[in-house]
Amino acid sequence: MRQKIVAGNWKMNTTYQEGIDLAIAIDKAVAEKGDKNVQVVVAPPFTHIAEINKVVNNERISVAGQNCATETSGAYTGEVSAEMLWSAGADFVILGHSERRSYYGETNDMLKIKVKKALEFNLTPIYCVGEVLEEREANKHFDVIKKQLETVLFDLSDEEYKQIVIAYEPVWAIGTGKTASPAQAQEVHKFIRDLLVAKFGETAKNTSILYGGSCKPSNAKELFANPDVDGGLIGGASLTADDFLGIINGF
Ligand code: PEP
């Protein structure tokens, strides 16, 4: 069975104490009112990971990094490795977020290495794909997503591939208040699943494919009702425990 997942990407938000308080509030909300069939993930800034891992109930809430290095260790000032994330208690890592691709020049070739590193250190990659507005308007979105998937994932072994979670995030919907319609989301999610099934076979029927882009409690239900939408990667609305809970309970 496909795992339902709702993951919160906090981006570069919250001071240390604000982050711990938010994690405690999410933990309480999830324990008291959260859908028990949903795997909840929070991706705070690196500095908060170890402490948040201590304050949340690990069976219901996993902790993620928002990025990891291409290298394992060494003279790479400012980088954080997959092994460091793992040793701080992370189980997941978001890779290929559009902000990393556009502001920090992350390419599909770099992401291929990062995905491998994450898997080497037992982290589940939440690998983000998605098109910018011009690509959608030029009807190139399927080609862009195909390339993002093929370059980064298609050399994985079946064993490695099983660990992967995908997030489809149309870049024009991230933080803009514009959401893909449920039909647009389903169309791309099905395209992604078909491509993955063609390459990896039946295993890909169990791959969780999350939607991201201005997902809120008010639109989560209609997005998650689609057969190929298995949850969400949430930005802004993951910074408030109530809103995040509303999305977690959107199935
Ligand atoms: C994101 O950055 O992954 C995201 C989906 O952001 P938002 O929910 O704020 O659009």
Side-chain angles (χ1 to χ4, degrees):
M1 246 239 321
R2 246 179 251 160
Q3 178 66 58
K4 295 172 182 167
I5 300 173
V6 173
N9 173 13
W10 295 7
K11 310 192 184 187
M12 198 172 74
N13 291 300
T14 71
T15 61
Y16 181 74
Q17 195 55 53
E18 286 166 353
I20 305 307
D21 292 347
L22 176 58
I24 290 171
I26 291 171
D27 189 58
K28 187 167 182 293
V30 167
E32 288 173 1
K33 296 177 243 161
D35 182 339
K36 293 196 167 40
N37 296 315
V38 178
Q39 173 67 57
V40 178
V41 180
V42 293
F46 290 139
T47 44
H48 308 9
I49 287 178
E51 187 59 21
I52 288 180
N53 190 51
K54 288 187 200 147
V55 301
V56 297
N57 172 345
N58 296 113
E59 276 182 19
R60 300 293 302 279
I61 302 180
S62 296
V63 184
Q66 298 174 17
N67 176 32
C68 73
T70 49
E71 309 299 327
T72 303
S73 64
Y76 302 100
T77 303
E79 290 290 281
V80 171
S81 72
E83 187 177 28
M84 291 170 188
L85 291 176
W86 166 80
S87 69
D91 288 316
F92 288 78
V93 60
I94 298 170
L95 292 173
H97 191 280
S98 65
E99 287 152 17
R100 300 286 328 163
R101 290 181 190 262
S102 66
Y103 304 152
Y104 302 101
E106 292 198 3
T107 61
N108 289 329
D109 290 331
M110 285 163 72
L111 291 163
K112 179 177 178 172
I113 301 170
K114 290 190 178 200
V115 164
K116 277 278 203 186
K117 276 290 163 214
L119 291 168
E120 191 182 326
F121 292 101
N122 290 323
L123 298 173
T124 296
I126 300 177
Y127 175 55
C128 304
V129 298
E131 78 284 1
V132 300
L133 187 60
E134 300 77 62
E135 290 161 343
R136 177 160 279 262
E137 285 175 346
N139 207 28
K140 291 199 176 124
H141 47 301
F142 293 117
D143 293 342
V144 170
I145 293 164
K146 186 165 184 251
K147 180 110 181 112
Q148 292 170 334
L149 292 168
E150 282 179 352
T151 311
V152 176
L153 303 182
F154 274 27
D155 286 336
L156 295 178
S157 67
D158 289 353
E159 229 17 70
E160 288 171 325
Y161 170 75
K162 273 190 200 156
Q163 303 302 314
I164 302 289
V165 172
I166 307 284
Y168 167 56
E169 299 208 306
V171 181
W172 46 271
I174 295 179
T176 58
K178 281 187 207 152
T179 316
S181 68
Q184 283 174 322
Q186 171 57 22
E187 183 186 36
V188 176
H189 281 232
K190 181 166 180 346
F191 170 79
I192 293 171
R193 190 171 315 280
D194 289 349
L195 194 73
L196 295 172
V197 168
K199 168 69 186 166
F200 293 101
E202 288 295 298
T203 317
K205 293 194 175 157
N206 290 326
T207 301
S208 299
I209 307 179
L210 317 183
Y211 168 79
S214 299
C215 187
K216 310 181 268 285
S218 57
N219 60 23
K221 258 198 172 50
E222 54 178 15
L223 287 161
F224 296 173
N226 286 293
D228 288 296
V229 178
D230 308 308
L233 178 56
I234 317 300
S238 70
L239 293 169
T240 315
D242 278 353
D243 284 349
F244 195 46
L245 180 70
I247 297 171
I248 292 164
N249 290 339
F251 291 92

